[in-house]
Amino acid sequence: MTPSGADREAGGGGADEERGSVGVEGPPEPSAVLGRLPTDAGLRRQLAAAARSRGRTASVAAEIDEIESELAAIEVEPVDLSEPRRRVAETTGEIERLKERVAALRGDARARRAVDAEADETLDDLEAAAAELSAAQTEAIAAEQALERARAEAARNRDERRRRLRLRDRLRNRRRDARRELAASVYPEFRRALAVVPGGDPSAAGAEPGAYDGDPVAASLAAVRVAALDGPVELLGDAARAVEAAERSAGSLLRSVGVRVGGPSRPDS
């Protein structure tokens, strides 16, 4: 059974989720959580996967879909301020150089006039330098405007990154809520399954998944029994030994399509 978009409420940020950095991906397939035992997933995650395998969804599923859509729509392109800053610095330096040249040429022209010397060439140079200065000032204005636009874009990107972090926190919390709700929805059946699977003890279940203090392998076997997995379940280590020592067949214990106990599927599963 493949969960729809509305089913992506309980799941699987894994290590990223624990670090508080959750992407927009939905939870793993139930078989990815329960298809191989022992599993690293906690009991609540296992039971949520079992519930999802049976087509159940949490009440926050629509909100989760909305958050995921918002996250997917956020695009933050990196903004490099070094180039516009370099251009501003270059144009500023060029303006200062040309201002000094214009001032020097004006002084030279005044000095030549004072002694009735020929000043035409100096005046031509002054006119050319003044034109260069005007062009450099225009370019400097454009460079400053480009830098301001880049700074504004960088500020918008910072805002979007902050919004993305807030959405990720909200998504992590809602997925946690969904996991709790889904796990609780199958907990009575889980408690009953503990009476069937090897090593299971219903009295160890407590009132909710967080109160369970029994054998973790028995809990995983009970979660598989509660689930409706499409694929086979592979049992290794303690899980394989527990099922092999039982009087009932693996398939009967786990009610799974196929059970592989430490290798190929058993004929009786």
Side-chain angles (χ1 to χ4, degrees):
M1 180 180 301
T2 301
S4 65
D7 292 331
R8 296 195 306 273
E9 68 276 26
D16 285 343
E17 184 175 89
E18 296 304 320
R19 290 193 299 268
S21 174
V22 181
V24 298
E25 297 84 2
E29 292 290 332
S31 59
V33 179
L34 296 171
R36 184 173 183 174
L37 303 182
T39 175
D40 292 333
L43 178 58
R44 189 171 276 117
R45 193 180 298 274
Q46 293 179 59
L47 293 177
R52 285 188 293 109
S53 75
R54 296 172 58 174
R56 298 190 183 184
T57 59
S59 59
V60 293
E63 183 179 355
I64 286 172
D65 280 347
E66 179 183 343
I67 298 171
E68 289 179 337
S69 295
E70 287 189 59
L71 277 170
I74 295 176
E75 295 183 2
V76 180
E77 294 293 333
V79 177
D80 184 7
L81 294 176
S82 60
E83 177 58 25
R85 282 172 177 160
R86 181 190 66 78
R87 191 63 190 137
V88 167
E90 285 181 352
T91 56
T92 300
E94 182 68 1
I95 286 172
E96 292 304 314
R97 183 187 71 80
L98 289 170
K99 281 181 177 179
E100 291 176 2
R101 177 166 172 72
V102 167
L105 289 169
R106 281 176 179 164
D108 188 22
R110 283 195 297 268
R112 286 178 177 277
R113 285 172 177 167
V115 296
D116 294 326
E118 178 62 47
D120 288 349
E121 184 177 348
T122 301
L123 291 173
D124 288 343
D125 290 343
L126 175 59
E127 184 178 356
E132 286 186 58
L133 175 58
S134 178
Q137 288 172 330
T138 299
E139 189 173 350
I141 291 172
E144 287 284 358
Q145 290 173 342
L147 178 57
E148 286 306 310
R149 287 194 298 271
R151 284 172 171 163
E153 181 64 22
R156 284 192 293 270
N157 284 355
R158 285 193 296 273
D159 290 342
E160 285 295 274
R161 283 193 291 269
R162 293 189 186 103
R163 185 166 77 92
R164 184 167 58 189
L165 288 174
R166 289 194 297 270
L167 284 170
R168 285 176 171 176
D169 285 342
R170 185 177 160 203
L171 178 59
R172 183 182 65 251
N173 291 335
R174 290 300 170 269
R175 283 182 174 167
R176 183 184 297 116
D177 293 342
R179 238 182 351 260
R180 290 179 180 276
E181 181 181 334
L182 289 172
S185 74
V186 296
Y187 207 62
E189 297 163 80
F190 167 75
R191 189 182 293 107
R192 290 192 293 271
L194 286 173
V196 178
V197 299
D201 180 6
S203 67
E208 50 91 25
Y212 180 77
D213 63 354
D215 178 14
V217 171
S220 293
L221 295 173
V224 170
R225 182 176 172 85
V226 168
L229 301 176
D230 289 336
V233 177
E234 183 178 9
L235 304 180
L236 302 171
D238 291 343
R241 285 188 287 273
V243 169
E244 286 181 321
E247 296 180 358
R248 296 173 59 176
S249 69
S252 173
L253 284 170
L254 302 184
R255 296 194 300 196
S256 180
V257 171
V259 181
R260 297 172 183 161
V261 183
S265 298
R266 294 301 176 92
D268 62 351
S269 65

